[in-house]
Amino acid sequence: MTRVAAIDCGTNSIRLLIADVSRSRGELVDIERRMEIVRLGQEVDKTGEIAPEAMERTLAAARRYADLCHQHEVHSIRFVATSATRDARNRKIFVDGVREALGVEPEVIPGAEEAELSFTGATGGLPGGHDAPFLVVDLGGGSTEFVLGEKTVDSAISVNIGCVRLTERHLRSDPPTASEVAAATADIDAALTQVAGKVALEDARTLVGVAGSITTVTAHALGLPAYDPAAIHGATLSLDQVEKACTELIEMPREQRAQLPFMHPGRVDVIGAGALVWRRIVERMGATGRIGQQVTSEHDILDGMAWGLAWSKR
């Protein structure tokens, strides 16, 4: 067994997986899974820079994760930063801070690599007999990745639609107005046209959704009394169930969303945009005539990174 740590720093959250990985048995055993909402991408879409307070929140979380890695005697660590860091002019300051906190070289990875890691993590730990090809959708704060494949990736694309980006750009009212929703929907539809030019969406037989917006929509559709990863992972919902849950979250005022027992406080203000993106994707996939359900995975880029660390022996 090799003990590894994977850290994924996105636009809205920073997440840690410490796991023991056995290459010979093909097993990945969780030791720690942590997530903190740090909103690194606060106004990056508007300013093109990481805000000082957002950077400090995220570096403080990285230092806490470094302590956990030390406590668990981790053999190797990989830190990847995605959409917000890719977009920021001042990313070098952030990268330097992460290097100092963790003692490893952080990677600002391109969307294509993010997509491939998400696919590996999501499909590798998916329960049940689902048909391939899989379309894995990783809906983040700043970008969303679409990955099509069976055992490996056939095609992938990353587009700049995410729950933080669209909230800051369009959804300013509480709840959002019809015109705000229409403006955000226009951005989403333009991105989906771009996706369709790169990924053969109509070839997919199983739609797999990962990341916080989608797992939260799933928790709402299931009516969970608390956020329960075990209940969410592998949950299969009809597209009608998903669309209904998304619509309710979009139309809900923030105060009501905050009272939902499964809702993370740091997701309250952006879940409407996340639900809007997911609803449009689900509608688009339903229109192919070949997808009637979606599967939610709690395993994602972190798991893909952990497998990669074990094989590379970093």
Side-chain angles (χ1 to χ4, degrees), residues 22-305:
S22 170
R23 295 194 300 168
S24 61
R25 295 196 297 272
E27 292 179 348
L28 189 154
V29 180
D30 289 12
I31 304 300
E32 290 266 6
R33 276 190 194 260
R34 297 285 182 98
M35 187 273 286
E36 295 188 35
I37 301 287
V38 290
R39 196 64 58 83
L40 179 66
Q42 172 190 325
E43 296 191 341
V44 167
D45 185 65
K46 179 181 177 181
T47 67
E49 293 192 345
I50 299 170
E53 61 272 26
M55 192 176 301
E56 180 48 43
R57 287 194 300 267
T58 308
L59 291 176
R63 290 189 286 270
R64 289 190 288 273
Y65 287 174
D67 289 342
L68 284 169
C69 291
H70 178 72
Q71 292 169 25
H72 288 290
E73 299 181 340
V74 166
H75 175 264
S76 55
I77 302 172
R78 186 179 184 190
F79 182 107
V80 304
T82 55
S83 178
T85 312
R86 284 196 297 263
D87 291 351
R89 289 189 297 268
N90 61 341
R91 59 182 170 272
K92 185 180 184 302
I93 300 171
F94 177 63
V95 166
D96 290 345
V98 172
R99 186 187 303 111
E100 182 179 351
L102 285 163
V104 298
E105 188 64 33
E107 302 170 55
V108 184
I109 61 171
E113 184 175 357
E114 183 180 359
E116 185 166 354
L117 288 167
S118 294
F119 182 87
T120 300
T123 58
L126 198 63
H130 299 289
D131 294 333
F134 302 97
L135 178 69
V136 175
V137 179
D138 184 346
L139 201 172
S143 66
T144 297
E145 285 65 53
F146 295 76
V147 201
L148 181 70
E150 296 193 25
K151 293 183 179 180
T152 58
V153 174
D154 292 331
S155 57
I157 188 172
S158 177
V159 290
N160 283 336
I161 51 172
C163 61
V164 174
R165 190 184 299 271
L166 291 182
T167 298
E168 291 184 350
R169 189 180 290 179
H170 297 297
L171 305 187
R172 299 184 180 92
S173 302
D174 179 26
T177 64
S179 61
E180 289 173 346
V181 169
T185 300
D187 281 3
I188 297 164
D189 288 347
L192 291 179
T193 298
Q194 184 183 354
V195 171
K198 174 78 174 188
V199 176
L201 299 177
E202 66 278 3
D203 289 349
R205 294 295 178 273
T206 298
L207 174 62
V208 183
V210 304
S213 287
I214 295 173
T215 59
T216 301
V217 168
T218 301
H220 185 55
L222 294 172
L224 296 183
Y227 192 91
D228 182 355
I232 292 167
H233 183 60
T236 300
L237 301 170
S238 72
L239 300 191
D240 286 344
Q241 285 178 288
V242 177
E243 290 174 28
K244 179 176 181 291
C246 287
T247 299
E248 289 173 352
L249 289 168
I250 294 163
E251 295 177 351
M252 230 179 250
R254 287 175 188 156
E255 183 178 356
Q256 187 177 348
R257 288 185 216 148
Q259 293 171 1
L260 295 171
F262 50 78
M263 184 69 67
H264 190 287
R267 208 171 293 285
V268 172
D269 62 330
V270 295
I271 188 59
L276 182 57
V277 174
W278 190 223
R279 186 176 71 179
R280 292 301 284 171
I281 294 169
V282 165
E283 289 170 347
R284 180 66 175 263
M285 295 309 299
T288 68
R290 297 183 175 184
I291 298 287
Q293 299 176 319
Q294 67 106 122
V295 185
T296 304
S297 176
E298 282 277 353
H299 296 177
D300 50 31
I301 187 173
L302 286 175
D303 302 76
M305 291 163 62

